[in-house]
């Protein structure tokens, strides 16, 4: 029995060597021992599929991945490789004692190193390779751009319905009209300048309406209001700032009483300037709620009427025959912006000035309903109290204006 096993083993090795020589002679006269699998030690790693299954898989692969050019050379190489794998597999199955290693129990490869020869002692020394890693400094990302100013601009053109009390200080009457408005805000970026507060706001509203009850003019100006406000402050504690405040308001166009040539308002008639020193409280929660309260115990107020020939300055709290009137007192202003959702926003402003003899105040509210990106509906109310002007029989010292409008609006924001 032992003689028979040895004979089979010898025949298998002879057959493997013959196959290797034939395969090598097919390409060259001298076999390439280093690149032929038949000369490698037998190492068992897995069991390949049967020849029938391999043939079916090969045929299916050839159908799926057919080359445009001739593939005889590829098919021949694949057949040679398959025959070599099958021969090695049969030898290992029939002669397991010839398998040098199992793939799972192969010895670990020696570590990489540098071989040094010592001719005098006839020794070779293997030392670990010295790997030098060049330290590269991490790339510093570019600093983000610094934006010192935040700009917000919006312009709208709306059709309006307005109710105006008979004693409104700028005149006017109930009407349907076309209202245009421009608003611009330029504020110092507090994320960059933490200790400073510098907010500037400019707005202008112009309303033009046809008038059926006026036989002299075909249209009237029912809204003409220019307003500029500015606040400059330095941080005192938490949300409080030492601040200086400025407010200027006037109108540009002439306005007349219905069916008369009596002028009720004109450019710089009236105009009002207020400058105050005090404290400002500024609270911002995200971008949907912003509240500002400015208190100025020391405040200078100037009322001015450029045209006292056609307009009675007493209507604006100025003594008869005088262009201006200056007083010193106190004022405060509170502003609220509340964005309930991307489509609904409320802005409210309360302003009051007193020289301790009379009180003058304004309360303005604007409720915006955005319909899509460019359409908007707006409800605007303005309640005014002014004891510096003559008392009205119906409204006493109160004045009121209300506007409902529907139109188009355009907004954009920039930074620099």
């Amino acid at each position: 029995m032992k003689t028979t096993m040895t004979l089979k083993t010898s025949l298998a090795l002879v057959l493997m060597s013959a196959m290797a020589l034939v395969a090598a002679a097919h390409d060259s006269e001298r076999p390439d021992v280093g690149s032929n699998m038949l000369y490698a030690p037998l190492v068992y790693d897995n069991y390949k599929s049967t020849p029938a299954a391999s043939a079916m898989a090969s045929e299916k692969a050839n159908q799926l991945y057919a080359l445009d050019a001739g593939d005889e050379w590829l098919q021949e190489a694949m057949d040679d490789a398959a025959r070599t794998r099958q021969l090695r597999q049969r030898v290992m199955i029939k002669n397991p004692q010839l398998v040098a290693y199992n793939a799972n129990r192969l010895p670990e490869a020696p570590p990489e190193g540098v071989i040094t020869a010592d001719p005098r002692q006839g020794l070779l020394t293997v030392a670990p390779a010295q790997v030098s890693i060049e330290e590269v400094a991490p790339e510093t990302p570019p600093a983000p751009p610094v934006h010192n100013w935040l700009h917000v601009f919006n312009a709208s053109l709306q059709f309006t319905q307005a109710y105006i009390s008979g004693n409104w200080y700028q005149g006017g009457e109930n009407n349907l009209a076309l209202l245009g408005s421009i608003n611009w805000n330029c504020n110092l970026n507090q994320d960059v300048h933490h200790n400073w507060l510098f907010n500037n706001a400019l707005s202008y509203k112009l309303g033009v309406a046809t008038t059926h009850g006026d036989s002299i003019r075909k249209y009237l100006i029912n809204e003409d209001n220019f307003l500029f406000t500015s606040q400059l402050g330095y941080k005192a504690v938490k949300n409080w700032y030492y601040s200086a405040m400025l407010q200027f308001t006037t109108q540009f166009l002439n306005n007349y009483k219905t069916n008369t040539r009596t002028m009720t308002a004109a450019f710089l008639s009236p105009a009002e300037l207020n400058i105050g020193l005090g404290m400002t409280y500024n609270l911002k929660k995200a971008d949907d709620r912003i509240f500002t309260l400015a208190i100025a115990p020391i405040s200078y107020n100037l009322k001015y009427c450029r045209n006292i020939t056609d307009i009675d300055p007493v209507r604006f709290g100025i003594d008869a025959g005088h262009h201006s009137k200056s007083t010193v007192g106190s004022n405060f202003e509170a502003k609220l912006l509340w964005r309930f959702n991307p489509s609904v926003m409320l802005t409210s402003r309360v302003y009051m000035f007193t020289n301790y003899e009379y009180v003058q105040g304004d309360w303005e509210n604007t409720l915006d309903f955005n319909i899509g990106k460019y359409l908007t509906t707006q409800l605007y109310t303005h309640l005014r109290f002014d004891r510096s002007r003559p008392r009205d029989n119906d409204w006493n010292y109160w004045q009121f204006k209300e506007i409902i409008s529907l139109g188009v609006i355009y907004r954009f924001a920039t930074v620099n």
Side-chain angles (χ1 to χ4, degrees), residues 237 320 410:
V237 57
Y410 175 73

Side-chain angles (χ1 to χ4, degrees), residues 191-202:
D191 292 335
V192 178
H193 306 276
H194 305 283
N195 295 326
W196 288 94
L197 175 72
F198 193 15
N199 297 332
N200 302 278
L202 184 150

Side-chain angles (χ1 to χ4, degrees), residues 102-124:
N102 186 302
N104 297 326
R105 295 194 296 273
L106 283 174
E108 293 185 4
E112 294 184 1
V114 179
I115 300 176
T116 306
D118 188 353
R120 291 177 296 179
Q121 299 183 8
L123 296 177
L124 295 177

